[in-house]
Amino acid sequence: MSILEALADDPAGVRVTDLAEQMNVNRAIPHRLLTELCELGYVVQDPDSERYRATLKVGSLGLRELERANVMDWAQEGLARLAAQSQELARVSIASNSTLRFVAQAQGASGSLIVNSPLRAELALHATASGKAFLSTLPWDEVKEILGRRGMPGLTVETHTDLRFLQEDLAKVRADGFAIVEEEAEQGISAVAVAIVPPQSPLARAVGSVSVAGPNVRLTLPRLRDLAPTVAETADRLARTWHVFEYLRAVSEPPSRL
């Protein structure tokens, strides 16, 4: 588990020597375990850099746990209502160890111009509405630490890749109560998101977010702002029922710092 956690924390991959130092063991031990994980499909090795990375199969294990914990049932009714009201794609993302993944969605759009996205994939926190909504609830030092590890790659020409600009973005999110991105994560796609913050959450940290996304020809800036209160209602409803899901709360709490 220590190996998988280390790989999950570093999307760029980890070398065997780095893992051996972190675990304070002989290099042969993590090398043997990584070889077995590669054979099982949970880890892949980059032939050029020789770094090991976790595959989406690892994330799928967590998603299966989410399904067994009735997350889909918990979120789906609210998402279906939000999708119908917005007539766009409504999604819920869940935070775990400073990562964010979509775990449930409902499609409200019809016709040929429809946005769809796979569940399970890790979100770019600095470039998505869901990510910014989540980050806006964290201390700035923690935001810098997270993004320092994960980086801020430019996904489109609109992506903010400078921490100074992101800090301004997050201040606006906190003031408005919602996050809006226009083509920052994907060309032609805009979104609005609101953090899910349970009443019992320590320091008002988010455990996830609710978002609506669609083509920017339909989701103009005024439209995104108009949708924000509806998205906030769904996020608030899910926040108030969060205590029912003890498992979800456990995986979303930040790791203790010794």
Side-chain angles (χ1 to χ4, degrees):
M1 287 305 299
S2 296
I3 288 178
L4 289 177
E5 288 176 354
L7 295 176
D9 285 340
D10 195 340
V14 178
R15 293 189 177 91
V16 173
T17 51
D18 297 330
L19 285 172
E21 290 178 5
Q22 290 178 30
M23 299 169 66
N24 195 28
V25 296
N26 185 281
R27 182 179 182 278
I29 295 176
H31 183 268
R32 175 175 56 81
L33 294 173
L34 286 167
T35 299
E36 293 177 0
L37 289 169
C38 284
E39 292 174 354
L40 293 171
Y42 292 105
V43 173
V44 294
Q45 184 183 26
D46 186 304
D48 297 323
S49 68
E50 297 187 347
R51 290 177 177 268
Y52 289 86
R53 293 183 292 102
T55 69
L56 289 179
K57 189 174 181 180
V58 175
S60 70
L61 291 176
L63 191 62
R64 269 185 267 168
E65 287 297 323
L66 294 178
E67 290 169 345
R68 281 198 288 270
N70 293 323
V71 179
M72 304 309 179
D73 293 339
W74 162 72
Q76 209 61 46
E77 182 181 351
L79 280 181
R81 186 184 304 110
L82 179 59
Q85 291 173 327
S86 65
Q87 297 187 316
E88 298 292 354
L89 178 64
R91 296 176 287 190
V92 166
S93 60
I94 297 298
S96 177
N97 291 331
S98 302
T99 63
L100 204 62
R101 300 177 191 274
F102 290 125
V103 299
Q105 62 184 16
Q107 182 60 261
S110 59
S112 59
L113 197 56
I114 296 178
V115 171
N116 268 315
S117 65
L119 299 178
R120 310 180 186 184
E122 184 177 328
L123 303 185
L125 298 179
H126 68 293
T128 59
S130 295
K132 290 186 181 184
F134 169 67
L135 290 178
S136 72
T137 70
L138 306 184
W140 178 241
D141 285 345
E142 185 174 352
V143 172
K144 290 191 294 183
E145 179 187 351
I146 293 170
L147 297 180
R149 293 197 313 267
R150 302 184 182 281
M152 297 175 62
L155 306 179
T156 73
V157 295
E158 302 296 336
T159 308
H160 292 177
T161 58
D162 189 308
L163 275 173
R164 293 172 298 175
F165 293 126
L166 181 65
Q167 188 172 25
E168 294 175 1
D169 290 345
L170 299 186
K172 180 171 175 54
V173 173
R174 284 189 289 271
D176 294 340
F178 57 86
I180 286 177
V181 299
E182 296 181 279
E183 302 188 83
E184 288 188 47
E186 188 175 351
Q187 202 72 35
I189 306 300
S190 297
V192 55
V194 175
I196 301 173
V197 183
Q200 70 275 23
S201 177
L203 304 177
R205 294 177 66 99
V207 294
S209 60
V210 177
S211 66
V212 166
N216 62 345
V217 293
R218 290 198 301 262
L219 288 187
T220 60
L221 185 56
R223 175 63 175 155
L224 290 167
R225 287 175 175 156
D226 288 343
L227 285 172
T230 307
V231 178
E233 288 177 11
T234 304
D236 181 64
R237 189 178 300 112
L238 294 180
R240 285 186 279 107
T241 60
W242 187 262
H243 65 281
V244 176
F245 298 91
E246 294 294 333
Y247 171 80
L248 291 179
R249 185 167 63 181
V251 300
S252 295
E253 286 175 349
S256 59
R257 299 179 183 274
L258 300 180

